[in-house]
Amino acid sequence: MSKTIIKTDKSPAAIGPYNQGIVAGGFLFTSGQLPINPVTGQVPSSIEEQTVQVLENLKAIIEEAGSSMEKVVKCTVYLQNFSDFEVMNKIYATYFTWNAPARATVEVSKMAKNALVEIDAVAIV
């Protein structure tokens, strides 16, 4: 089985030894996306802005692979504070309006760039 590396300038470059996404076996596996603006390199301060940025970063990778948000089958959401769940969930729902993917949401103690949220995804390509 072969794999194809997915890379786009519409999502922030990897900050470590990993790729934005990998296509293998008919699926796209994205790396966890932080709320880094790919143009400015800045991280917004609020959970609302961060959630939107993370989902836009994911969307860019998914579309670069030739897929779409409608073909996402699984997401994992990492929150620094589970009290942000309601706000994140409301925004998340606007990106997955039809047949939402399976999902796990976990609270973590700290993320890179002091992010409040990070999300990874698996999509059909």
Side-chain angles (χ1 to χ4, degrees):
M1 178 186 318
S2 66
K3 68 179 183 179
T4 302
I5 295 169
I6 302 301
K7 184 177 179 184
T8 177
D9 292 337
K10 295 178 183 175
S11 190
I15 59 173
Y18 60 88
N19 289 293
Q20 293 171 329
I22 300 285
V23 172
F27 290 95
L28 165 67
F29 302 87
T30 73
S31 294
Q33 291 302 298
L34 293 168
I36 301 169
N37 180 303
V39 175
T40 67
Q42 299 299 308
V43 174
S45 59
S46 73
I47 186 64
E48 294 89 352
E49 293 170 307
Q50 286 196 21
T51 302
V52 168
Q53 187 65 64
V54 164
L55 288 162
E56 287 296 319
N57 292 346
L58 270 178
K59 184 177 176 186
I61 296 166
I62 290 165
E63 290 177 352
E64 182 70 21
S67 191
S68 67
M69 296 298 271
E70 292 81 22
K71 294 182 179 180
V72 173
V73 295
K74 174 72 166 75
C75 287
T76 305
V77 178
Y78 306 90
L79 290 172
Q80 189 176 39
N81 188 330
F82 215 80
S83 67
D84 289 332
F85 178 84
E86 249 183 84
V87 173
M88 175 282 300
N89 197 48
K90 184 177 180 182
I91 295 164
Y92 178 96
T94 68
Y95 283 80
F96 298 104
T97 57
W98 175 254
N99 291 332
R103 183 178 82 187
T105 305
V106 296
E107 182 179 73
V108 296
S109 63
K110 190 167 184 170
M111 288 181 271
K113 305 284 185 182
N114 292 312
L116 302 174
V117 61
E118 179 175 344
I119 303 174
D120 63 44
V122 178
I124 300 166
V125 289

PDB file of all heavy atoms in Angstrom, residues 62-98:
ATOM      1  N   ILE A  62      -8.200  18.871   4.009  1.00  0.00           N
ATOM      2  CA  ILE A  62      -9.159  17.913   3.458  1.00  0.00           C
ATOM      3  C   ILE A  62      -9.435  18.223   1.990  1.00  0.00           C
ATOM      4  O   ILE A  62      -9.446  17.320   1.148  1.00  0.00           O
ATOM      5  CB  ILE A  62     -10.447  17.925   4.312  1.00  0.00           C
ATOM      6  CG1 ILE A  62     -10.151  17.300   5.689  1.00  0.00           C
ATOM      7  CG2 ILE A  62     -11.597  17.215   3.611  1.00  0.00           C
ATOM      8  CD1 ILE A  62     -11.204  17.563   6.746  1.00  0.00           C
ATOM      9  N   GLU A  63      -9.629  19.484   1.664  1.00  0.00           N
ATOM     10  CA  GLU A  63      -9.893  19.865   0.280  1.00  0.00           C
ATOM     11  C   GLU A  63      -8.657  19.688  -0.599  1.00  0.00           C
ATOM     12  O   GLU A  63      -8.772  19.302  -1.764  1.00  0.00           O
ATOM     13  CB  GLU A  63     -10.438  21.291   0.223  1.00  0.00           C
ATOM     14  CG  GLU A  63     -11.847  21.367   0.784  1.00  0.00           C
ATOM     15  CD  GLU A  63     -12.431  22.766   0.834  1.00  0.00           C
ATOM     16  OE1 GLU A  63     -11.699  23.753   0.576  1.00  0.00           O
ATOM     17  OE2 GLU A  63     -13.639  22.872   1.139  1.00  0.00           O
ATOM     18  N   GLU A  64      -7.471  19.933  -0.056  1.00  0.00           N
ATOM     19  CA  GLU A  64      -6.229  19.721  -0.813  1.00  0.00           C
ATOM     20  C   GLU A  64      -6.091  18.248  -1.204  1.00  0.00           C
ATOM     21  O   GLU A  64      -5.553  17.933  -2.274  1.00  0.00           O
ATOM     22  CB  GLU A  64      -5.012  20.165   0.012  1.00  0.00           C
ATOM     23  CG  GLU A  64      -3.694  20.025  -0.689  1.00  0.00           C
ATOM     24  CD  GLU A  64      -3.492  21.006  -1.850  1.00  0.00           C
ATOM     25  OE1 GLU A  64      -4.165  22.052  -1.898  1.00  0.00           O
ATOM     26  OE2 GLU A  64      -2.651  20.703  -2.713  1.00  0.00           O
ATOM     27  N   ALA A  65      -6.612  17.359  -0.366  1.00  0.00           N
ATOM     28  CA  ALA A  65      -6.555  15.917  -0.650  1.00  0.00           C
ATOM     29  C   ALA A  65      -7.637  15.483  -1.639  1.00  0.00           C
ATOM     30  O   ALA A  65      -7.699  14.310  -2.009  1.00  0.00           O
ATOM     31  CB  ALA A  65      -6.690  15.134   0.651  1.00  0.00           C
ATOM     32  N   GLY A  66      -8.505  16.421  -2.036  1.00  0.00           N
ATOM     33  CA  GLY A  66      -9.572  16.090  -2.966  1.00  0.00           C
ATOM     34  C   GLY A  66     -10.821  15.562  -2.299  1.00  0.00           C
ATOM     35  O   GLY A  66     -11.682  14.970  -2.947  1.00  0.00           O
ATOM     36  N   SER A  67     -10.933  15.780  -1.020  1.00  0.00           N
ATOM     37  CA  SER A  67     -12.100  15.320  -0.267  1.00  0.00           C
ATOM     38  C   SER A  67     -12.918  16.534   0.168  1.00  0.00           C
ATOM     39  O   SER A  67     -12.735  17.634  -0.344  1.00  0.00           O
ATOM     40  CB  SER A  67     -11.656  14.481   0.942  1.00  0.00           C
ATOM     41  OG  SER A  67     -12.765  13.837   1.528  1.00  0.00           O
ATOM     42  N   SER A  68     -13.822  16.330   1.112  1.00  0.00           N
ATOM     43  CA  SER A  68     -14.645  17.428   1.610  1.00  0.00           C
ATOM     44  C   SER A  68     -15.059  17.151   3.052  1.00  0.00           C
ATOM     45  O   SER A  68     -14.940  16.017   3.536  1.00  0.00           O
ATOM     46  CB  SER A  68     -15.905  17.589   0.749  1.00  0.00           C
ATOM     47  OG  SER A  68     -16.749  16.463   0.916  1.00  0.00           O
ATOM     48  N   MET A  69     -15.551  18.171   3.714  1.00  0.00           N
ATOM     49  CA  MET A  69     -15.993  18.023   5.110  1.00  0.00           C
ATOM     50  C   MET A  69     -17.124  16.987   5.215  1.00  0.00           C
ATOM     51  O   MET A  69     -17.260  16.323   6.232  1.00  0.00           O
ATOM     52  CB  MET A  69     -16.434  19.368   5.682  1.00  0.00           C
ATOM     53  CG  MET A  69     -15.315  20.396   5.785  1.00  0.00           C
ATOM     54  SD  MET A  69     -13.971  19.916   6.887  1.00  0.00           S
ATOM     55  CE  MET A  69     -14.604  20.580   8.428  1.00  0.00           C
ATOM     56  N   GLU A  70     -17.909  16.842   4.151  1.00  0.00           N
ATOM     57  CA  GLU A  70     -19.006  15.867   4.146  1.00  0.00           C
ATOM     58  C   GLU A  70     -18.499  14.428   4.164  1.00  0.00           C
ATOM     59  O   GLU A  70     -19.238  13.508   4.499  1.00  0.00           O
ATOM     60  CB  GLU A  70     -19.916  16.075   2.929  1.00  0.00           C
ATOM     61  CG  GLU A  70     -20.713  17.354   2.963  1.00  0.00           C
ATOM     62  CD  GLU A  70     -19.903  18.586   2.522  1.00  0.00           C
ATOM     63  OE1 GLU A  70     -18.875  18.446   1.813  1.00  0.00           O
ATOM     64  OE2 GLU A  70     -20.300  19.695   2.901  1.00  0.00           O
ATOM     65  N   LYS A  71     -17.221  14.232   3.796  1.00  0.00           N
ATOM     66  CA  LYS A  71     -16.651  12.892   3.754  1.00  0.00           C
ATOM     67  C   LYS A  71     -15.810  12.557   4.989  1.00  0.00           C
ATOM     68  O   LYS A  71     -15.158  11.514   5.029  1.00  0.00           O
ATOM     69  CB  LYS A  71     -15.823  12.717   2.478  1.00  0.00           C
ATOM     70  CG  LYS A  71     -16.681  12.752   1.227  1.00  0.00           C
ATOM     71  CD  LYS A  71     -15.832  12.524   0.001  1.00  0.00           C
ATOM     72  CE  LYS A  71     -16.686  12.532  -1.255  1.00  0.00           C
ATOM     73  NZ  LYS A  71     -15.856  12.301  -2.453  1.00  0.00           N
ATOM     74  N   VAL A  72     -15.818  13.447   5.982  1.00  0.00           N
ATOM     75  CA  VAL A  72     -15.104  13.167   7.233  1.00  0.00           C
ATOM     76  C   VAL A  72     -15.873  12.090   7.987  1.00  0.00           C
ATOM     77  O   VAL A  72     -17.094  12.186   8.172  1.00  0.00           O
ATOM     78  CB  VAL A  72     -14.947  14.442   8.089  1.00  0.00           C
ATOM     79  CG1 VAL A  72     -14.357  14.115   9.454  1.00  0.00           C
ATOM     80  CG2 VAL A  72     -14.083  15.459   7.356  1.00  0.00           C
ATOM     81  N   VAL A  73     -15.157  11.056   8.431  1.00  0.00           N
ATOM     82  CA  VAL A  73     -15.801   9.951   9.142  1.00  0.00           C
ATOM     83  C   VAL A  73     -15.461   9.913  10.634  1.00  0.00           C
ATOM     84  O   VAL A  73     -16.172   9.272  11.406  1.00  0.00           O
ATOM     85  CB  VAL A  73     -15.477   8.583   8.494  1.00  0.00           C
ATOM     86  CG1 VAL A  73     -16.069   8.502   7.094  1.00  0.00           C
ATOM     87  CG2 VAL A  73     -13.985   8.307   8.470  1.00  0.00           C
ATOM     88  N   LYS A  74     -14.387  10.599  11.034  1.00  0.00           N
ATOM     89  CA  LYS A  74     -13.985  10.566  12.452  1.00  0.00           C
ATOM     90  C   LYS A  74     -13.175  11.796  12.787  1.00  0.00           C
ATOM     91  O   LYS A  74     -12.307  12.208  12.019  1.00  0.00           O
ATOM     92  CB  LYS A  74     -13.141   9.312  12.716  1.00  0.00           C
ATOM     93  CG  LYS A  74     -12.519   9.209  14.113  1.00  0.00           C
ATOM     94  CD  LYS A  74     -13.542   8.905  15.165  1.00  0.00           C
ATOM     95  CE  LYS A  74     -12.966   8.475  16.494  1.00  0.00           C
ATOM     96  NZ  LYS A  74     -12.381   9.523  17.290  1.00  0.00           N
ATOM     97  N   CYS A  75     -13.454  12.402  13.922  1.00  0.00           N
ATOM     98  CA  CYS A  75     -12.653  13.512  14.460  1.00  0.00           C
ATOM     99  C   CYS A  75     -12.313  13.221  15.916  1.00  0.00           C
ATOM    100  O   CYS A  75     -13.074  12.556  16.624  1.00  0.00           O
ATOM    101  CB  CYS A  75     -13.434  14.831  14.430  1.00  0.00           C
ATOM    102  SG  CYS A  75     -13.625  15.541  12.799  1.00  0.00           S
ATOM    103  N   THR A  76     -11.196  13.741  16.333  1.00  0.00           N
ATOM    104  CA  THR A  76     -10.857  13.783  17.753  1.00  0.00           C
ATOM    105  C   THR A  76     -10.626  15.243  18.095  1.00  0.00           C
ATOM    106  O   THR A  76      -9.860  15.929  17.420  1.00  0.00           O
ATOM    107  CB  THR A  76      -9.607  12.949  18.077  1.00  0.00           C
ATOM    108  OG1 THR A  76      -9.801  11.617  17.603  1.00  0.00           O
ATOM    109  CG2 THR A  76      -9.349  12.926  19.584  1.00  0.00           C
ATOM    110  N   VAL A  77     -11.313  15.696  19.134  1.00  0.00           N
ATOM    111  CA  VAL A  77     -11.207  17.080  19.599  1.00  0.00           C
ATOM    112  C   VAL A  77     -10.473  17.061  20.934  1.00  0.00           C
ATOM    113  O   VAL A  77     -10.818  16.290  21.826  1.00  0.00           O
ATOM    114  CB  VAL A  77     -12.608  17.722  19.784  1.00  0.00           C
ATOM    115  CG1 VAL A  77     -12.477  19.140  20.316  1.00  0.00           C
ATOM    116  CG2 VAL A  77     -13.399  17.690  18.484  1.00  0.00           C
ATOM    117  N   TYR A  78      -9.473  17.924  21.039  1.00  0.00           N
ATOM    118  CA  TYR A  78      -8.709  18.066  22.271  1.00  0.00           C
ATOM    119  C   TYR A  78      -8.985  19.462  22.815  1.00  0.00           C
ATOM    120  O   TYR A  78      -8.777  20.451  22.111  1.00  0.00           O
ATOM    121  CB  TYR A  78      -7.208  17.899  21.998  1.00  0.00           C
ATOM    122  CG  TYR A  78      -6.888  16.613  21.282  1.00  0.00           C
ATOM    123  CD1 TYR A  78      -6.868  16.552  19.886  1.00  0.00           C
ATOM    124  CD2 TYR A  78      -6.627  15.447  21.990  1.00  0.00           C
ATOM    125  CE1 TYR A  78      -6.594  15.371  19.215  1.00  0.00           C
ATOM    126  CE2 TYR A  78      -6.348  14.253  21.319  1.00  0.00           C
ATOM    127  CZ  TYR A  78      -6.338  14.228  19.945  1.00  0.00           C
ATOM    128  OH  TYR A  78      -6.072  13.043  19.289  1.00  0.00           O
ATOM    129  N   LEU A  79      -9.469  19.533  24.043  1.00  0.00           N
ATOM    130  CA  LEU A  79      -9.758  20.814  24.677  1.00  0.00           C
ATOM    131  C   LEU A  79      -8.872  20.987  25.897  1.00  0.00           C
ATOM    132  O   LEU A  79      -8.721  20.056  26.694  1.00  0.00           O
ATOM    133  CB  LEU A  79     -11.219  20.891  25.122  1.00  0.00           C
ATOM    134  CG  LEU A  79     -12.272  20.977  24.032  1.00  0.00           C
ATOM    135  CD1 LEU A  79     -13.669  20.835  24.638  1.00  0.00           C
ATOM    136  CD2 LEU A  79     -12.149  22.293  23.281  1.00  0.00           C
ATOM    137  N   GLN A  80      -8.332  22.185  26.063  1.00  0.00           N
ATOM    138  CA  GLN A  80      -7.544  22.452  27.267  1.00  0.00           C
ATOM    139  C   GLN A  80      -8.458  22.544  28.486  1.00  0.00           C
ATOM    140  O   GLN A  80      -8.052  22.207  29.589  1.00  0.00           O
ATOM    141  CB  GLN A  80      -6.737  23.735  27.112  1.00  0.00           C
ATOM    142  CG  GLN A  80      -5.751  23.940  28.247  1.00  0.00           C
ATOM    143  CD  GLN A  80      -4.886  25.155  28.038  1.00  0.00           C
ATOM    144  OE1 GLN A  80      -5.350  26.179  27.557  1.00  0.00           O
ATOM    145  NE2 GLN A  80      -3.629  25.040  28.402  1.00  0.00           N
ATOM    146  N   ASN A  81      -9.697  22.978  28.275  1.00  0.00           N
ATOM    147  CA  ASN A  81     -10.645  23.106  29.372  1.00  0.00           C
ATOM    148  C   ASN A  81     -12.005  22.617  28.895  1.00  0.00           C
ATOM    149  O   ASN A  81     -12.589  23.201  27.985  1.00  0.00           O
ATOM    150  CB  ASN A  81     -10.729  24.562  29.824  1.00  0.00           C
ATOM    151  CG  ASN A  81     -11.531  24.735  31.080  1.00  0.00           C
ATOM    152  OD1 ASN A  81     -12.454  23.980  31.366  1.00  0.00           O
ATOM    153  ND2 ASN A  81     -11.185  25.758  31.852  1.00  0.00           N
ATOM    154  N   PHE A  82     -12.507  21.564  29.508  1.00  0.00           N
ATOM    155  CA  PHE A  82     -13.764  20.983  29.048  1.00  0.00           C
ATOM    156  C   PHE A  82     -14.948  21.936  29.223  1.00  0.00           C
ATOM    157  O   PHE A  82     -15.991  21.741  28.610  1.00  0.00           O
ATOM    158  CB  PHE A  82     -14.042  19.645  29.749  1.00  0.00           C
ATOM    159  CG  PHE A  82     -14.718  18.666  28.843  1.00  0.00           C
ATOM    160  CD1 PHE A  82     -13.989  17.939  27.919  1.00  0.00           C
ATOM    161  CD2 PHE A  82     -16.092  18.487  28.887  1.00  0.00           C
ATOM    162  CE1 PHE A  82     -14.614  17.049  27.057  1.00  0.00           C
ATOM    163  CE2 PHE A  82     -16.729  17.606  28.031  1.00  0.00           C
ATOM    164  CZ  PHE A  82     -15.984  16.880  27.118  1.00  0.00           C
ATOM    165  N   SER A  83     -14.769  22.989  29.980  1.00  0.00           N
ATOM    166  CA  SER A  83     -15.850  23.978  30.090  1.00  0.00           C
ATOM    167  C   SER A  83     -16.051  24.726  28.773  1.00  0.00           C
ATOM    168  O   SER A  83     -17.064  25.395  28.587  1.00  0.00           O
ATOM    169  CB  SER A  83     -15.588  24.953  31.236  1.00  0.00           C
ATOM    170  OG  SER A  83     -14.465  25.752  30.966  1.00  0.00           O
ATOM    171  N   ASP A  84     -15.113  24.599  27.825  1.00  0.00           N
ATOM    172  CA  ASP A  84     -15.248  25.198  26.498  1.00  0.00           C
ATOM    173  C   ASP A  84     -16.023  24.302  25.534  1.00  0.00           C
ATOM    174  O   ASP A  84     -16.228  24.669  24.373  1.00  0.00           O
ATOM    175  CB  ASP A  84     -13.869  25.490  25.889  1.00  0.00           C
ATOM    176  CG  ASP A  84     -13.157  26.643  26.583  1.00  0.00           C
ATOM    177  OD1 ASP A  84     -13.850  27.524  27.117  1.00  0.00           O
ATOM    178  OD2 ASP A  84     -11.912  26.653  26.568  1.00  0.00           O
ATOM    179  N   PHE A  85     -16.475  23.134  26.006  1.00  0.00           N
ATOM    180  CA  PHE A  85     -17.130  22.163  25.128  1.00  0.00           C
ATOM    181  C   PHE A  85     -18.341  22.745  24.405  1.00  0.00           C
ATOM    182  O   PHE A  85     -18.472  22.596  23.195  1.00  0.00           O
ATOM    183  CB  PHE A  85     -17.556  20.916  25.911  1.00  0.00           C
ATOM    184  CG  PHE A  85     -18.267  19.911  25.059  1.00  0.00           C
ATOM    185  CD1 PHE A  85     -17.552  18.992  24.305  1.00  0.00           C
ATOM    186  CD2 PHE A  85     -19.656  19.880  24.981  1.00  0.00           C
ATOM    187  CE1 PHE A  85     -18.202  18.069  23.495  1.00  0.00           C
ATOM    188  CE2 PHE A  85     -20.311  18.967  24.178  1.00  0.00           C
ATOM    189  CZ  PHE A  85     -19.580  18.060  23.438  1.00  0.00           C
ATOM    190  N   GLU A  86     -19.237  23.399  25.118  1.00  0.00           N
ATOM    191  CA  GLU A  86     -20.462  23.929  24.503  1.00  0.00           C
ATOM    192  C   GLU A  86     -20.165  24.893  23.360  1.00  0.00           C
ATOM    193  O   GLU A  86     -20.774  24.826  22.302  1.00  0.00           O
ATOM    194  CB  GLU A  86     -21.334  24.622  25.554  1.00  0.00           C
ATOM    195  CG  GLU A  86     -22.612  23.883  25.839  1.00  0.00           C
ATOM    196  CD  GLU A  86     -23.482  24.643  26.819  1.00  0.00           C
ATOM    197  OE1 GLU A  86     -24.215  25.545  26.359  1.00  0.00           O
ATOM    198  OE2 GLU A  86     -23.419  24.323  28.017  1.00  0.00           O
ATOM    199  N   VAL A  87     -19.242  25.809  23.603  1.00  0.00           N
ATOM    200  CA  VAL A  87     -18.883  26.803  22.587  1.00  0.00           C
ATOM    201  C   VAL A  87     -18.244  26.109  21.381  1.00  0.00           C
ATOM    202  O   VAL A  87     -18.635  26.360  20.233  1.00  0.00           O
ATOM    203  CB  VAL A  87     -17.925  27.865  23.169  1.00  0.00           C
ATOM    204  CG1 VAL A  87     -17.407  28.793  22.093  1.00  0.00           C
ATOM    205  CG2 VAL A  87     -18.621  28.644  24.272  1.00  0.00           C
ATOM    206  N   MET A  88     -17.285  25.235  21.635  1.00  0.00           N
ATOM    207  CA  MET A  88     -16.632  24.497  20.548  1.00  0.00           C
ATOM    208  C   MET A  88     -17.667  23.697  19.772  1.00  0.00           C
ATOM    209  O   MET A  88     -17.701  23.714  18.536  1.00  0.00           O
ATOM    210  CB  MET A  88     -15.550  23.564  21.115  1.00  0.00           C
ATOM    211  CG  MET A  88     -14.872  22.654  20.092  1.00  0.00           C
ATOM    212  SD  MET A  88     -15.802  21.179  19.559  1.00  0.00           S
ATOM    213  CE  MET A  88     -16.046  20.304  21.077  1.00  0.00           C
ATOM    214  N   ASN A  89     -18.554  23.005  20.466  1.00  0.00           N
ATOM    215  CA  ASN A  89     -19.530  22.123  19.842  1.00  0.00           C
ATOM    216  C   ASN A  89     -20.489  22.891  18.922  1.00  0.00           C
ATOM    217  O   ASN A  89     -20.840  22.417  17.847  1.00  0.00           O
ATOM    218  CB  ASN A  89     -20.307  21.371  20.920  1.00  0.00           C
ATOM    219  CG  ASN A  89     -21.017  20.164  20.376  1.00  0.00           C
ATOM    220  OD1 ASN A  89     -20.433  19.364  19.662  1.00  0.00           O
ATOM    221  ND2 ASN A  89     -22.282  20.036  20.712  1.00  0.00           N
ATOM    222  N   LYS A  90     -20.878  24.080  19.344  1.00  0.00           N
ATOM    223  CA  LYS A  90     -21.785  24.902  18.538  1.00  0.00           C
ATOM    224  C   LYS A  90     -21.122  25.287  17.210  1.00  0.00           C
ATOM    225  O   LYS A  90     -21.749  25.215  16.149  1.00  0.00           O
ATOM    226  CB  LYS A  90     -22.188  26.153  19.324  1.00  0.00           C
ATOM    227  CG  LYS A  90     -23.193  27.023  18.625  1.00  0.00           C
ATOM    228  CD  LYS A  90     -23.606  28.195  19.494  1.00  0.00           C
ATOM    229  CE  LYS A  90     -24.615  29.060  18.756  1.00  0.00           C
ATOM    230  NZ  LYS A  90     -25.000  30.230  19.539  1.00  0.00           N
ATOM    231  N   ILE A  91     -19.858  25.681  17.263  1.00  0.00           N
ATOM    232  CA  ILE A  91     -19.125  26.055  16.050  1.00  0.00           C
ATOM    233  C   ILE A  91     -18.847  24.817  15.196  1.00  0.00           C
ATOM    234  O   ILE A  91     -19.031  24.826  13.976  1.00  0.00           O
ATOM    235  CB  ILE A  91     -17.829  26.810  16.405  1.00  0.00           C
ATOM    236  CG1 ILE A  91     -18.188  28.134  17.080  1.00  0.00           C
ATOM    237  CG2 ILE A  91     -16.955  27.024  15.169  1.00  0.00           C
ATOM    238  CD1 ILE A  91     -17.056  28.796  17.802  1.00  0.00           C
ATOM    239  N   TYR A  92     -18.427  23.740  15.829  1.00  0.00           N
ATOM    240  CA  TYR A  92     -18.150  22.473  15.148  1.00  0.00           C
ATOM    241  C   TYR A  92     -19.368  22.042  14.331  1.00  0.00           C
ATOM    242  O   TYR A  92     -19.243  21.608  13.180  1.00  0.00           O
ATOM    243  CB  TYR A  92     -17.792  21.430  16.210  1.00  0.00           C
ATOM    244  CG  TYR A  92     -17.506  20.043  15.713  1.00  0.00           C
ATOM    245  CD1 TYR A  92     -16.196  19.621  15.482  1.00  0.00           C
ATOM    246  CD2 TYR A  92     -18.531  19.124  15.516  1.00  0.00           C
ATOM    247  CE1 TYR A  92     -15.921  18.328  15.063  1.00  0.00           C
ATOM    248  CE2 TYR A  92     -18.269  17.832  15.093  1.00  0.00           C
ATOM    249  CZ  TYR A  92     -16.965  17.441  14.868  1.00  0.00           C
ATOM    250  OH  TYR A  92     -16.696  16.160  14.446  1.00  0.00           O
ATOM    251  N   ALA A  93     -20.547  22.180  14.905  1.00  0.00           N
ATOM    252  CA  ALA A  93     -21.792  21.764  14.245  1.00  0.00           C
ATOM    253  C   ALA A  93     -22.045  22.529  12.949  1.00  0.00           C
ATOM    254  O   ALA A  93     -22.697  22.011  12.040  1.00  0.00           O
ATOM    255  CB  ALA A  93     -22.973  21.927  15.193  1.00  0.00           C
ATOM    256  N   THR A  94     -21.518  23.743  12.821  1.00  0.00           N
ATOM    257  CA  THR A  94     -21.716  24.514  11.589  1.00  0.00           C
ATOM    258  C   THR A  94     -20.840  23.983  10.448  1.00  0.00           C
ATOM    259  O   THR A  94     -21.116  24.268   9.284  1.00  0.00           O
ATOM    260  CB  THR A  94     -21.441  26.023  11.797  1.00  0.00           C
ATOM    261  OG1 THR A  94     -20.055  26.226  12.050  1.00  0.00           O
ATOM    262  CG2 THR A  94     -22.293  26.596  12.917  1.00  0.00           C
ATOM    263  N   TYR A  95     -19.806  23.222  10.754  1.00  0.00           N
ATOM    264  CA  TYR A  95     -18.931  22.637   9.738  1.00  0.00           C
ATOM    265  C   TYR A  95     -19.368  21.234   9.341  1.00  0.00           C
ATOM    266  O   TYR A  95     -18.954  20.723   8.306  1.00  0.00           O
ATOM    267  CB  TYR A  95     -17.482  22.604  10.229  1.00  0.00           C
ATOM    268  CG  TYR A  95     -16.815  23.947  10.167  1.00  0.00           C
ATOM    269  CD1 TYR A  95     -17.027  24.902  11.156  1.00  0.00           C
ATOM    270  CD2 TYR A  95     -15.983  24.286   9.105  1.00  0.00           C
ATOM    271  CE1 TYR A  95     -16.429  26.148  11.091  1.00  0.00           C
ATOM    272  CE2 TYR A  95     -15.373  25.526   9.038  1.00  0.00           C
ATOM    273  CZ  TYR A  95     -15.603  26.451  10.034  1.00  0.00           C
ATOM    274  OH  TYR A  95     -15.006  27.689   9.971  1.00  0.00           O
ATOM    275  N   PHE A  96     -20.164  20.600  10.189  1.00  0.00           N
ATOM    276  CA  PHE A  96     -20.648  19.244   9.931  1.00  0.00           C
ATOM    277  C   PHE A  96     -22.167  19.243  10.066  1.00  0.00           C
ATOM    278  O   PHE A  96     -22.720  18.800  11.061  1.00  0.00           O
ATOM    279  CB  PHE A  96     -20.008  18.250  10.904  1.00  0.00           C
ATOM    280  CG  PHE A  96     -18.521  18.164  10.776  1.00  0.00           C
ATOM    281  CD1 PHE A  96     -17.692  18.768  11.712  1.00  0.00           C
ATOM    282  CD2 PHE A  96     -17.927  17.509   9.705  1.00  0.00           C
ATOM    283  CE1 PHE A  96     -16.311  18.699  11.596  1.00  0.00           C
ATOM    284  CE2 PHE A  96     -16.547  17.445   9.574  1.00  0.00           C
ATOM    285  CZ  PHE A  96     -15.739  18.031  10.520  1.00  0.00           C
ATOM    286  N   THR A  97     -22.820  19.773   9.032  1.00  0.00           N
ATOM    287  CA  THR A  97     -24.272  19.958   9.094  1.00  0.00           C
ATOM    288  C   THR A  97     -25.042  18.745   8.588  1.00  0.00           C
ATOM    289  O   THR A  97     -26.236  18.640   8.801  1.00  0.00           O
ATOM    290  CB  THR A  97     -24.693  21.194   8.276  1.00  0.00           C
ATOM    291  OG1 THR A  97     -24.243  21.029   6.937  1.00  0.00           O
ATOM    292  CG2 THR A  97     -24.102  22.461   8.868  1.00  0.00           C
ATOM    293  N   TRP A  98     -24.371  17.836   7.894  1.00  0.00           N
ATOM    294  CA  TRP A  98     -25.034  16.681   7.323  1.00  0.00           C
ATOM    295  C   TRP A  98     -24.263  15.422   7.715  1.00  0.00           C
ATOM    296  O   TRP A  98     -23.070  15.310   7.444  1.00  0.00           O
ATOM    297  CB  TRP A  98     -25.073  16.812   5.798  1.00  0.00           C
ATOM    298  CG  TRP A  98     -25.632  15.625   5.099  1.00  0.00           C
ATOM    299  CD1 TRP A  98     -24.918  14.685   4.393  1.00  0.00           C
ATOM    300  CD2 TRP A  98     -26.989  15.220   5.029  1.00  0.00           C
ATOM    301  NE1 TRP A  98     -25.750  13.738   3.891  1.00  0.00           N
ATOM    302  CE2 TRP A  98     -27.045  14.044   4.270  1.00  0.00           C
ATOM    303  CE3 TRP A  98     -28.168  15.727   5.544  1.00  0.00           C
ATOM    304  CZ2 TRP A  98     -28.230  13.364   4.014  1.00  0.00           C
ATOM    305  CZ3 TRP A  98     -29.345  15.054   5.275  1.00  0.00           C
ATOM    306  CH2 TRP A  98     -29.367  13.900   4.522  1.00  0.00           C
TER     307      TRP A  98
END
